[in-house]
């Protein structure tokens, strides 16, 4: 059972989420699943799509599919034991999965193929260069572009009526939430300035959460990303890996990578340097991470 609290742009609680998850790590390739690859829109794809939307002055809307994986069927016969609290079954009995429950290895691919089928049915063509971008152009000048990120769909368009028709079509097939104009997506807050063809985006909520968790919300500030003149090396790294230290280091650097990819290009070089020592960080590497956190504060 996975339990999660979903937060909004101001770190307010939007909803409480709970779902049963299959132990996918016990699956055996070839027996329990075959192909498992499913494309996911990366940061570059999202940024380029937003740039196109701003340049062409397109409306940008956000749709969130509810429990997306449960809409896909399985092509393998799978059985699961009962989760705690479920009604008891007779001995030697188990549940057979009919849908791609969260945790199954093939669930992302099954969902992607399922929603892609309906997107193509509505007249969208694969962009070709990216498996998560779909484009539709009509003779009357209507232009629509979709960017799919697992269960989040961004709709770029210049025809409100056609966009509503498409969302109605999806709503007939799946349970979804129409978030309206793009304001919050993947932990990023967006503000559109259509007059100047600019889209502003920030991850202040993610930064505040990181600083709060690491105890750097109130600290001595730094005005540089790294200490001037300090060159990080792997010399004198501990002979044995300190698992607790490495886990802390990897967690913080992972968040910094996400920030650098989407909204903070100023962190790119520093984060790439810090990431080199994720396997076995030494105290000087930890101090460099803390220096970066003070810069963000």
């Amino acid at each position: 059972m996975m339990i999660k609290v979903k937060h909004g742009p101001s770190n307010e609680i939007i909803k409480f989420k709970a779902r049963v998850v299959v132990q996918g790590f016990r699956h055996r390739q070839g027996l329990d699943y075959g192909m498992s690859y499913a494309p996911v829109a990366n940061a570059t794809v999202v940024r380029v799509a937003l740039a196109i939307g701003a340049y062409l002055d397109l409306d940008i809307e956000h749709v969130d599919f509810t429990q997306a994986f449960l809409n896909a069927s399985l092509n393998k016969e799978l059985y699961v034991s009962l989760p705690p609290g479920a009604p008891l079954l007779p001995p030697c009995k188990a549940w057979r999965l009919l849908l791609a429950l969260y945790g199954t290895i093939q669930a992302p691919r099954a969902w992607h193929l399922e929603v892609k089928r309906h997107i193509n049915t509505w007249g969208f063509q694969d962009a070709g260069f990216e498996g998560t971008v779909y484009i539709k152009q009509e003779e009357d000048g209507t232009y629509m572009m979709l960017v799919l990120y697992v269960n989040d769909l961004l709709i770029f368009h210049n025809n409100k009526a056609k966009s509503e028709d498409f969302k109605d079509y999806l709503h007939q097939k799946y349970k979804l939430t129409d978030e309206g104009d793009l304001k919050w997506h993947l932990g990023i807050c967006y503000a559109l300035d259509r007059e100047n063809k600019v889209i502003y985006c920030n991850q202040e909520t993610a930064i505040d959460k990181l600083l709060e968790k690491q105890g750097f919300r109130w600290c001595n500030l730094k005005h540089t990303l790294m200490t001037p003149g300090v060159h990080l090396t792997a010399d004198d790294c501990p002979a044995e890996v300190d698992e607790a230290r490495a886990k802390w280091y990897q967690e913080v650097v992972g968040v910094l990578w996400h920030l650098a990819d989407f909204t903070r290009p100023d962190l790119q070089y520093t984060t790439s340097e810090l990431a080199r020592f994720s396997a076995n960080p030494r105290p000087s590497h930890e101090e460099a991470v803390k220096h970066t956190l003070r810069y963000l504060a």
Side-chain angles (χ1 to χ4, degrees):
M1 176 72 72
M2 186 183 74
I3 300 174
K4 181 180 180 181
V5 179
K6 186 175 182 179
H7 295 271
S10 302
N11 206 29
E12 76 280 10
I13 296 176
I14 298 178
K15 66 174 71 171
F16 298 94
K17 303 173 67 175
R19 58 172 61 120
V20 176
V21 180
V22 174
Q23 296 178 350
F25 58 85
R26 300 176 64 180
H27 289 187
R28 293 160 294 179
Q29 187 173 9
L31 180 62
D32 299 318
Y33 69 95
M35 298 181 66
S36 59
Y37 172 75
V40 177
N42 57 34
T44 302
V45 170
V46 175
R47 288 200 307 268
V48 170
L50 291 171
I52 293 174
Y55 180 76
L56 297 179
D57 192 25
L58 302 175
D59 291 327
I60 308 175
E61 297 179 315
H62 177 205
V63 170
D64 182 12
F65 294 98
T66 303
Q67 297 179 336
F69 290 176
L70 298 183
N71 294 296
S73 57
L74 294 171
N75 58 3
K76 291 282 186 178
E77 190 170 306
L78 293 180
Y79 294 87
V80 296
S81 58
L82 276 65
L88 295 178
L89 290 178
C92 302
K93 297 293 183 180
W95 282 351
R96 179 183 176 183
L97 286 184
L98 301 179
L99 300 174
L101 197 65
Y102 284 85
T104 52
I105 299 296
Q106 62 269 52
R109 179 177 177 83
W111 160 244
H112 176 79
L113 295 177
E114 163 68 21
V115 71
K116 171 184 168 68
R117 178 169 60 87
H118 288 295
I119 288 175
N120 292 148
T121 299
W122 217 75
F124 284 90
Q125 301 295 322
D126 296 17
F129 59 88
E130 175 61 38
T132 58
V133 179
Y134 305 88
I135 296 174
K136 181 179 182 181
Q137 292 180 284
E138 299 183 359
E139 294 181 356
D140 62 358
T142 297
Y143 178 86
M144 297 179 68
M145 177 173 65
L146 308 178
V147 177
L148 180 65
Y149 189 97
V150 189
N151 65 321
D152 287 291
L153 182 68
L154 298 183
I155 305 175
F156 300 76
H157 65 87
N158 60 1
N159 189 316
K160 183 68 174 178
K162 294 290 181 67
S163 174
E164 292 299 322
D165 289 343
F166 176 62
K167 287 190 290 185
D168 288 342
Y169 170 76
L170 291 178
H171 206 287
Q172 294 173 8
K173 304 297 181 181
Y174 311 110
K175 184 178 179 181
L176 54 84
T177 302
D178 185 356
E179 304 287 354
D181 293 336
L182 178 63
K183 296 179 180 177
W184 177 255
H185 178 240
L186 300 180
I188 304 172
C189 188
Y190 293 95
L192 281 63
D193 181 357
R194 303 190 66 164
E195 182 179 352
N196 296 306
K197 296 187 176 182
V198 175
I199 299 177
Y200 298 97
C201 51
N202 71 76
Q203 291 175 283
E204 294 302 324
T205 301
I207 294 175
D208 289 343
K209 188 181 296 186
L210 172 64
L211 296 175
E212 188 75 33
K213 183 176 181 179
Q214 302 303 331
F216 283 82
R217 193 66 187 89
W218 308 103
C219 62
N220 296 325
L221 305 182
K222 297 293 184 180
H223 301 289
T224 59
L225 281 160
M226 302 179 72
T227 304
V230 172
H231 179 63
L232 299 178
T233 68
D235 297 339
D236 301 326
C237 282
E240 295 185 3
V241 178
D242 186 329
E243 296 294 341
R245 172 183 291 174
K247 182 178 180 180
W248 174 87
Y249 189 92
Q250 293 163 7
E251 178 182 348
V252 177
V253 171
V255 176
L256 293 177
W257 259 127
H258 183 71
L259 296 173
D261 274 349
F262 281 93
T263 62
R264 295 297 298 265
D266 56 323
L267 297 176
Q268 285 281 0
Y269 175 76
T270 299
T271 306
S272 64
E273 282 292 298
L274 296 174
R276 294 169 52 205
F277 312 103
S278 294
N280 189 12
R282 57 182 292 193
S284 61
H285 304 145
E286 293 183 25
E287 288 303 316
V289 168
K290 294 176 181 178
H291 185 105
T292 304
L293 292 176
R294 292 188 174 96
Y295 170 82
L296 289 175

